[in-house]
Amino acid sequence: MCCEEMYIYMGKFVVKHTKTGIKFDLKATNGQVIATSEVYNSKDACMNGIESVKKNSAVAQVEDQTVENFEKQKNPKFQVFKDKAGEFRFNLTAKNGQIIAVSEGYKTMANCIGGVESVISNAPDAPVEELADQ
């Protein structure tokens, strides 16, 4: 299998410009967004964010904040929690505690953990695709 074909079977980071800056989405092989970044002021800062997600997701532990008296994990970590709408979400924090990626809302905890596992398996080796300015 040649290297171009390999990318068909893995996720990717998609960098796109917004009205206020530049951000990235980590997309799964099916094209669904797994995690999203903040809006950065520069492309360099965005690319640094991607590198941080690649590096930190590979070693991050899961901190399940949905249970009472949950065990706190050291950063980097995936913080799994329930939002005000009752959906499950996760944040990926870097070693310094800064949130570097956030998820969409999930209806079930199992799907949220599936999202975390998808970041862990897709992010470290995911290629970066930059969308042209719209």
Side-chain angles (χ1 to χ4, degrees), residues 34 90 106 108-121:
I34 311 167
F90 65 83
Y106 293 92
T108 68
M109 177 67 147
N111 287 347
C112 186
I113 294 299
V116 168
E117 290 169 350
S118 187
V119 172
I120 291 168
S121 65

Side-chain angles (χ1 to χ4, degrees), residues 43-111:
K43 181 178 176 183
D44 285 344
C46 185
M47 298 309 277
N48 287 341
I50 289 172
E51 287 308 311
S52 185
V53 169
K54 286 182 171 202
K55 182 174 75 175
N56 287 290
S57 64
V59 296
Q61 299 297 309
V62 175
E63 181 178 275
D64 183 357
Q65 298 179 355
T66 66
V67 296
E68 213 173 307
N69 301 318
F70 63 88
E71 183 181 340
K72 288 194 177 259
Q73 301 292 329
K74 287 184 181 177
N75 290 319
K77 63 185 170 185
F78 288 94
Q79 299 168 309
V80 176
F81 61 97
K82 214 169 191 182
D83 66 16
K84 290 177 183 172
E87 292 189 321
F88 295 93
R89 295 179 179 270
F90 65 83
N91 294 332
L92 173 59
T93 61
K95 199 169 191 172
N96 65 4
Q98 182 178 352
I99 295 172
I100 52 177
V102 300
S103 74
E104 306 282 329
Y106 293 92
K107 298 285 184 208
T108 68
M109 177 67 147
N111 287 347

